[in-house]
Amino acid sequence: MSPLLADRTGSLMPQWRLDPWLMGMLLVLMGFGMLVLYSAGEQQIGLVWRQAVRLGMGLVILVVLAHVPPRLLRLWAPWLFLATLLTLVAVLLFGVGRGAQRWLDLGVIRFQPSEAMKLALPLMLALLFYRRSLPPNWSTLFMAAALIALPVALIVMQPDLGTSVLIGASGVCMLFLAGLRWRLILLMLLGLAAIAPVLWLQLHQYQRHRILTFLSPESDPLGQGWNIIQSKIAVGSGGLTGKGWLAGSQSHLEFLPEPHTDFIFSVLAEEFGFVGVLVMLALYAGIVGRGMYLASQCRDSFGRLLAGSLVFMFFLYVAVNVGMISGLLPVVGVPLPLVSYGGTSAVTLLAAFGIVMGLYSRRRFMG
């Protein structure tokens, strides 16, 4: 292997602090995603170009964050978490958006603080556990639960149920990685079941409709159930090898809602069939597997917990989106990572992988 591509372990590009296996799979996924986006977006080259620019920005941020030492991440974590919390409060006061206040209009760009929290919360939790003995005791768990609950509550109030679930789940994942005992996990599940009726009453009417539609989409086939029924038709009509690129009838005849964003996986299944779905899922599995391997090689709890939580967040994106479009989960507006049109989540995920690769590249010097 070229010295530009390998250090003494033969696994890294030391000059760039990037993992070639993970980078390769991310680039293939984004390239494949652009092909699907071109078809799902009615062959609008401008839409594909804008997405390419966003992904390019994300890759630049990935490279920059891969060079940030862990001690700086630990130093920045409390300030980043506090600043993101304040911007979430600002969203409730001054936010903009259609139907939900999720963005801050900064004049030049619109900023969605909940996306920044996907990085800020794992950083803060990893710092909390790094400074205490593991497995966590009750006082540490109480502080961790407060850190998770505060941003989740602010995001629910926007309202943005999908993002709040993803952030809350990534925080709970951190607790598991920190060595939470099974009896405490059982107590948490029992507590969640006990307060489920209260949570149901706090949901907006349209959120309750989404959950009821998930349980029985055929009860309102021309209304609330339309999206998921059309999505299932698109997935099933693809067959083994699909109808061919640019030949999907459900998306091009406008039966499929939001084909270039949340439901882009349905377009993939219709045009590339079961084989295309397997290829895409294999890419995702490879990225998650490689990411977890890099996380496991970090030599201190800060690196292992932070990298593991960020990779788990990526896995959650995939699982929720694929479950959503196939009718296994309620529709909560989660994009397919690095494939759906939209820049904020793509930049956040690429930034997360930059942190993971940076932690792994310094694994010999951590502690």
Side-chain angles (χ1 to χ4, degrees), residues 24-362:
M25 287 187 284
L26 288 173
L27 292 173
V28 171
L29 174 64
M30 287 187 282
F32 190 20
M34 298 287 273
L35 281 177
V36 182
L37 179 62
Y38 180 69
S39 177
E42 297 298 326
Q43 303 172 41
Q44 299 178 52
I45 195 64
L47 181 140
V48 177
W49 173 247
R50 288 193 293 276
Q51 184 69 2
V53 171
R54 292 164 174 169
L55 292 175
M57 289 172 56
L59 287 172
V60 170
I61 294 173
L62 180 153
V63 173
V64 170
L65 287 177
H67 287 75
V68 175
R71 61 180 175 81
L72 285 184
L73 293 176
R74 292 195 289 268
L75 185 67
W76 294 346
W79 301 107
L80 179 62
F81 182 75
L82 180 60
T84 310
L85 269 184
L86 292 176
T87 56
L88 286 175
V89 174
V91 165
L92 297 179
L93 299 174
F94 314 109
V96 296
R98 289 183 301 176
Q101 293 183 198
R102 299 175 182 174
W103 290 269
L104 286 176
D105 192 346
L106 304 179
V108 180
I109 61 169
R110 282 188 172 188
F111 172 61
Q112 190 173 356
S114 58
E115 289 295 328
M117 187 53 76
K118 291 175 182 174
L119 300 179
L121 180 61
L123 273 168
M124 191 64 216
L125 289 175
L127 178 65
L128 174 71
F129 292 129
Y130 174 72
R131 290 175 174 172
R132 288 165 174 79
S133 60
L134 297 178
N137 55 29
W138 282 105
S139 64
T140 305
L141 283 177
F142 179 79
M143 285 187 280
L147 289 172
I148 296 170
L150 196 53
V152 167
L154 290 172
I155 296 168
V156 167
M157 291 167 66
Q158 293 181 359
D160 188 350
L161 184 61
T163 303
S164 63
V165 169
L166 284 175
I167 290 178
S170 69
V172 173
C173 167
M174 180 80 79
L175 300 181
F176 293 156
L177 294 176
L180 196 65
R181 293 184 176 86
W182 279 105
R183 60 182 179 181
L184 293 179
I185 296 173
L186 184 60
L187 280 176
M188 290 172 59
L189 292 176
L190 290 174
L192 187 62
I195 64 171
V198 178
L199 296 177
W200 174 262
L201 293 176
Q202 300 304 314
L203 293 177
H204 291 262
Q205 193 64 31
Y206 78 92
Q207 291 170 332
R208 295 179 195 169
H209 281 155
R210 284 182 176 181
I211 295 174
L212 294 175
T213 301
F214 156 67
L215 297 173
S216 179
E218 289 76 14
S219 62
D220 188 11
L222 298 179
Q224 296 290 332
W226 173 266
N227 292 357
I228 190 60
I229 290 174
Q230 296 304 319
S231 175
K232 287 181 179 178
I233 292 173
V235 172
S237 64
L240 180 62
T241 56
K243 296 177 178 175
W245 187 47
L246 306 178
S249 57
Q250 289 301 109
S251 56
H252 296 299
L253 296 180
E254 300 184 355
F255 286 102
L256 195 62
E258 306 292 344
H260 62 295
T261 55
D262 296 348
F263 286 84
I264 198 169
F265 194 81
S266 306
V267 179
L268 165 80
E270 185 181 24
E271 298 191 353
F272 294 91
F274 183 65
V275 173
V277 169
L278 280 184
V279 170
M280 183 68 85
L281 292 181
L283 270 173
Y284 281 125
I287 291 169
V288 172
R290 184 65 183 175
M292 282 299 182
Y293 170 76
L294 301 186
S296 70
Q297 296 303 301
C298 296
R299 292 195 174 183
D300 70 3
S301 60
F302 179 79
R304 283 195 300 274
L305 293 176
L306 177 56
S309 178
L310 293 175
V311 175
F312 180 76
M313 179 180 68
F314 179 83
F315 166 78
L316 267 184
Y317 262 95
V318 181
V320 172
N321 182 273
V322 174
M324 187 178 76
I325 66 99
S326 56
L328 298 175
L329 292 173
V331 176
V332 290
V334 173
L336 187 65
L338 304 180
V339 175
S340 290
Y341 180 75
T344 312
S345 67
V347 169
T348 302
L349 290 171
L350 290 172
F353 281 116
I355 293 174
V356 171
M357 288 188 240
L359 290 169
Y360 174 70
S361 70
R362 291 178 174 82

Side-chain angles (χ1 to χ4, degrees), residues 1-8 10-16:
M1 186 178 291
S2 164
L4 286 175
L5 296 176
D7 63 2
R8 292 177 182 176
S11 61
L12 282 174
M13 294 186 286
Q15 291 84 350
W16 293 88

